[in-house]
Every structure is written in C-alpha cells, then in structure tokens.
Amino acid sequence: MSDSTLPNVSNNSRPNRAKAAWIAAGTAIVVIASAVAFQFLRPREGAAGENLPDQAGRATMSASANRQPLARVNGELLSYDVIAAECMQRYGGEVLESFINRTIIHQACVKQGIEIREDEVRAEVVKIAKKFDIDPQNWLRVIETERHLKPAQYYQDVIWPMLALKRLAGQDVQVTEEEMQQIFVRDYGERVKARMILCDKLHRAQDCWNLVKNDPQNFGKIAREKSIDPTSKSLDGQIQPIRRYAGGNENFEREAFKLKDGEISGIIDVSTPEAPRYAILLCEGHTVPIVKSITDPGIREEVLKQLTEEKTQVAVAKVFEKLKKEAQVDNFLANTSTRGVQQTSATSEGRERMPAAGYRSRVGTVNRTAEQTDGQ
C-alpha cells in the first residue's frame, strides 16, 4: 500500500474482496505478515515439493559442469561460464536467499515427518480455482498471463511452500464467537460511502478543512487539487466504502461511522510511526446490508471458513518467522551470518550449496496489513 492510501479505504464488496485476496494469495508465496518474501527452485519431476535443497543444488551444479557454449554470434562462442557469471552477479543474491528459505522450510518438514505430495499440490490448485468457479486450466492461464508464472513455477513457488507452512503451523485453529461476529460485520455489514482528502501536514489539513467547510459543494474539486492520495484524488476524492473491523485505522473507521449523509468530518489523525497523515471525509450515505444476520443460510459457514483461513495465515507467518530466527545461516555471498560472525569467504560446503548461476529468482509479493504498509 502506498503512503497515500488509508487502512480501510479499499473496501470492495465481499465477492470482489475475496477474489482479490485469493488472486494475491495465488500470486504470492504465502500471506506472511512478517513481510518475508521467498520462493523455491524446481522440484524433481513427478514429486512436486520433494526435491531436497541439497539435491537440487548438486543437480544444478552437475548440469553446469557440462560447460557447453550457449550461443554463437558471428562465429564467436558465448560460453556457459560467461553467462553464468553474469547471471550470478545480477541475480545470485536473490536466488541464494530463496534457496536458503527453501532449505529452512524443508529441514523443518523433515524434522516433523511432513511430506507434501504432488497430488496435494494439484488438488490445492483445483480448490483455489473452484472458489471462483473457474476451470483449473483457465486459472493456470490467468496466473501465467497476469503474473508470468508457468504452471510448474506456480506449483513450486506458490502452492508447495503454502501447503508446507500450513502443515508446519498445524491445523488446530481456534475461533471465538466475538471474532465471528466481527468478520460478519466486516464482510456483510453496513458501510460508509465517502470522499476523502488526505494530507501529510496538519496545517495543510486545516487549510483544506476550512476550504471544504466554506464550500462543501466543491469537496471533489478541492480533493483533486489538494489531496496527496493519487488514486482517490483522480476520482474527486471518491474512495471505496468504509467497513468496520477492516484491519486498518480504528480512529478512521470510528469517525466515518459517526457521519450522516452530506456531513463533513473533522480532521482525522491517521498517522503511522512512519509518517503523519490527516484525513477529511465527506459522507455520501450508508449502504444497506443485504445479509441481515450471521444465521442466514450458509453465512455462518462462509464466515467461519474466512476467519479460519485468516488465522491460519497468521499462524503460518509466526511459524516461518520462528524458523528463520532459529536457523543458523552463513551467507558467504552476502558476507553475513545469523550467528553474528561475518563470513569473508565461502567454504567448499558453502560453494556446493549455492545454486548455479542462470536461474533468475522471482521474488514473491506479500500481502501486508494496512498497519505495516500505510505510510511507507
């Protein structure tokens, strides 16, 4: 989220929000609140997610030993070594980091006797596609078109680590009735339709507030001229309907729901530790919920499924953060060590475990909470 986007400005309808969330999940490695992006090299054919990090490393290194020229330009050969060195210089750090993360998760799976089979990986893709009533093959085409991930890459870079970390996190997720009610209100409850002016200085917000108070009919024009939010200012300040319990700024939500149709808010402090932010809202009415109660047919089950998934992702984040914290990693390429000892040269073991040059790492995106991203 950009520094000009408020925590709960993006509040699409339930189906659109769910679809966007799952597309993000499908194109990310996994939803990790700790904002750690990672990905994995290709597993062995016929055993998705089962190729061991050291096995993959040795296989790649043995392939590189062939040293065949990769191209000929007007009679001049371009050797494997030259191209490999260039790739290593450009992408070696990213690939090595992803290999390290893969190894950490793999070791944890081995320790706990966890194995993710190929049929589980493919079944998960079918499950995700089914959520949108899309044929799995069409879903894979969407992923390839939108995120430039081939099916094999999608299986190994997205689905396998997601399943592995979920298994490591455990399946016992506890939910409370209070949490269920909050998710119901968030996804199905009343919302505030509004326009917004966002400022980065209090005195600028005060100037804007004086302008809209004296000329409320031109709120949109003033938003277009004064707001620092690039998305909403282009729409004369119009934002997505504001929800309760959206995981954003509670003060923003609270003040929004106090407003009546046509009313302008005071200056709302939505600052983060990273940056000061001040918002002014013009209420354009409240939505009328179609679903009245969590007891309506099928609603409770849907809320429980959504809440369980969200809590599972939080557990996944904590597990991976814990694994990273406990791992002893000596990164010879970056000259860093989690043991506090600077590494100045690669040992033979370190060199053996480095992935060969030529494999470009695709850094996964991460869904971050509004508190983490607002103001960045």
Side-chain angles (χ1 to χ4, degrees):
M1 186 181 301
S2 68
D3 60 0
S4 56
T5 306
L6 285 176
N8 45 7
V9 166
S10 296
N11 296 289
N12 290 323
S13 63
R14 173 70 176 86
N16 289 337
R17 186 200 61 76
K19 187 169 184 177
W22 272 103
I23 289 178
T27 58
I29 300 301
V30 71
V31 179
I32 290 185
S34 57
V36 180
F38 55 91
Q39 89 255 340
F40 307 89
L41 299 180
R42 181 166 300 170
R44 288 181 289 112
E45 182 178 354
E50 294 179 8
N51 92 338
L52 310 185
D54 54 343
Q55 291 175 341
R58 285 196 293 272
T60 314
M61 292 298 289
S62 63
S64 70
N66 196 14
R67 307 301 190 204
Q68 293 295 322
L70 299 181
R72 179 186 291 111
V73 181
N74 295 324
E76 180 181 349
L77 293 176
L78 299 182
S79 71
Y80 180 99
D81 288 342
V82 169
I83 304 303
E86 183 74 12
C87 291
M88 191 64 189
Q89 182 178 7
R90 294 188 185 188
Y91 314 118
E94 295 178 10
V95 175
L96 178 58
E97 181 64 25
S98 69
F99 204 103
I100 288 170
N101 288 324
R102 175 197 170 98
T103 304
I104 289 172
I105 294 178
H106 169 73
Q107 289 173 346
C109 286
V110 170
K111 186 176 181 179
Q112 297 189 27
I114 292 173
E115 179 184 1
I116 307 299
R117 303 186 310 275
E118 182 178 2
D119 62 316
E120 294 178 273
V121 172
R122 295 183 182 277
E124 184 66 18
V125 173
V126 173
K127 179 181 175 182
I128 293 173
K130 187 178 179 181
K131 288 182 178 294
F132 313 120
D133 295 324
I134 300 177
D135 179 81
Q137 293 304 314
N138 288 336
W139 174 252
L140 291 174
R141 281 191 282 270
V142 169
I143 293 298
E144 184 170 358
T145 300
E146 298 295 327
R147 302 304 303 177
H148 311 294
L149 283 172
K150 298 287 187 182
Q153 292 174 297
Y154 181 55
Y155 294 150
Q156 72 207 9
D157 293 352
V158 177
I159 304 301
W160 183 87
M162 178 175 68
L163 292 176
L165 284 169
K166 280 186 177 182
R167 196 78 61 81
L168 287 166
Q171 303 297 319
D172 188 20
V173 175
Q174 302 296 324
V175 301
T176 67
E177 189 62 34
E178 181 181 3
E179 290 171 329
M180 292 275 288
Q181 288 295 331
Q182 289 182 355
I183 295 298
F184 170 75
V185 171
R186 184 194 70 185
D187 292 349
Y188 297 96
E190 174 190 12
R191 304 180 186 192
V192 179
K193 296 182 289 184
R195 295 181 188 268
M196 177 189 72
I197 298 173
L198 187 66
C199 300
D200 57 357
K201 302 291 183 183
L202 182 57
H203 70 86
R204 292 175 184 169
Q206 186 65 56
D207 291 342
C208 289
W209 188 84
N210 290 332
L211 288 173
V212 297
K213 273 297 183 180
N214 293 328
D215 191 8
Q217 297 302 317
N218 279 320
F219 189 100
K221 179 176 180 292
I222 296 169
R224 187 168 63 251
E225 295 174 351
K226 303 293 185 180
S227 180
I228 65 170
D229 179 42
T231 302
S232 63
K233 71 181 298 180
S234 65
L235 301 172
D236 289 349
Q238 188 174 37
I239 60 177
Q240 293 292 340
I242 302 165
R243 301 176 293 165
R244 287 190 171 99
Y245 309 117
N249 188 289
E250 293 182 6
N251 188 38
F252 185 81
E253 293 177 9
R254 182 170 56 252
E255 293 301 317
F257 276 89
K258 289 180 181 179
L259 299 175
K260 298 178 181 179
D261 190 7
E263 190 174 2
I264 295 175
S265 73
I267 298 173
I268 306 171
D269 189 343
V270 292
S271 300
T272 68
E274 291 78 20
R277 292 290 182 269
Y278 305 94
I280 302 167
L281 295 176
L282 168 64
C283 178
E284 296 187 321
H286 292 230
T287 64
V288 178
I290 298 176
V291 178
K292 301 299 182 182
S293 172
I294 195 173
T295 60
D296 285 8
I299 299 302
R300 186 177 183 85
E301 292 77 10
E302 184 64 25
V303 170
L304 177 60
K305 183 189 302 182
Q306 180 66 26
L307 179 57
T308 301
E309 177 64 22
E310 291 177 9
K311 296 193 78 170
T312 298
Q313 297 296 353
V314 172
V316 162
K318 291 180 178 178
V319 165
F320 187 67
E321 185 178 7
K322 182 173 183 290
L323 292 175
K324 289 277 286 185
K325 185 178 295 184
E326 293 177 349
Q328 294 185 357
V329 179
D330 299 323
N331 188 324
F332 304 114
L333 185 63
N335 293 332
T336 60
S337 173
T338 59
R339 296 180 292 184
V341 179
Q342 187 179 38
Q343 302 300 311
T344 56
S345 63
T347 64
S348 58
E349 177 185 3
R351 284 192 296 269
E352 181 187 35
R353 290 183 181 273
M354 282 187 184
Y359 283 84
R360 179 171 184 174
S361 171
R362 185 186 303 275
V363 178
T365 59
V366 177
N367 291 340
R368 293 181 293 174
T369 63
E371 291 88 346
Q372 291 172 309
T373 55
D374 185 35
Q376 291 184 353

